[in-house]
Amino acid sequence: GIEPHLLNPGLDWLSIFLQVSAGHCLTIAPRASYDDYNVAMIGIDHPMKMRDVYIATPANRKLNATTTYTKKKIIEYFTEQQKRL
């Protein structure tokens, strides 16, 4: 029941994090300082990943089904890529 929608790719990180902190979306983001944006970073651990990747969610909310599902799908993707090597 989750349908992804892409934000305008021309948005800067500040605009994206404002949308995330307001609870309008989540995003996959690199490691950086997010303390000023009221955004929590959920790390994605998998041996296949090439760099640190996080899911940005609102800091003042519990993890919801969408965040859990997205994290699971990213890990499944890394696992499939590892099997192909």
Side-chain angles (χ1 to χ4, degrees):
I2 299 172
E3 187 175 324
H5 296 280
L6 299 176
L7 289 176
N8 181 344
L11 292 176
D12 60 306
W13 282 111
L14 174 61
S15 299
I16 293 170
F17 290 143
L18 288 173
Q19 292 290 318
V20 170
S21 67
H24 296 268
C25 65
L26 59 86
T27 190
I28 300 168
R31 181 179 12 183
S33 176
Y34 305 104
D35 298 336
D36 296 338
Y37 302 109
N38 196 27
V39 171
M41 302 308 291
I42 310 301
I44 300 173
D45 287 332
H46 190 278
M48 184 65 183
K49 70 178 182 177
M50 304 301 179
R51 63 182 71 118
D52 290 334
V53 178
Y54 301 88
I55 298 175
T57 62
N60 58 353
R61 298 191 181 147
K62 294 181 180 180
L63 290 183
N64 59 25
T66 303
T67 304
T68 305
Y69 176 82
T70 302
K71 183 176 179 178
K72 178 181 154 201
K73 285 298 184 185
I74 291 169
I75 291 172
E76 285 176 8
Y77 172 79
F78 284 137
T79 301
E80 283 299 315
Q81 295 305 312
Q82 191 173 23
K83 288 179 185 177
R84 292 180 183 179
L85 294 178

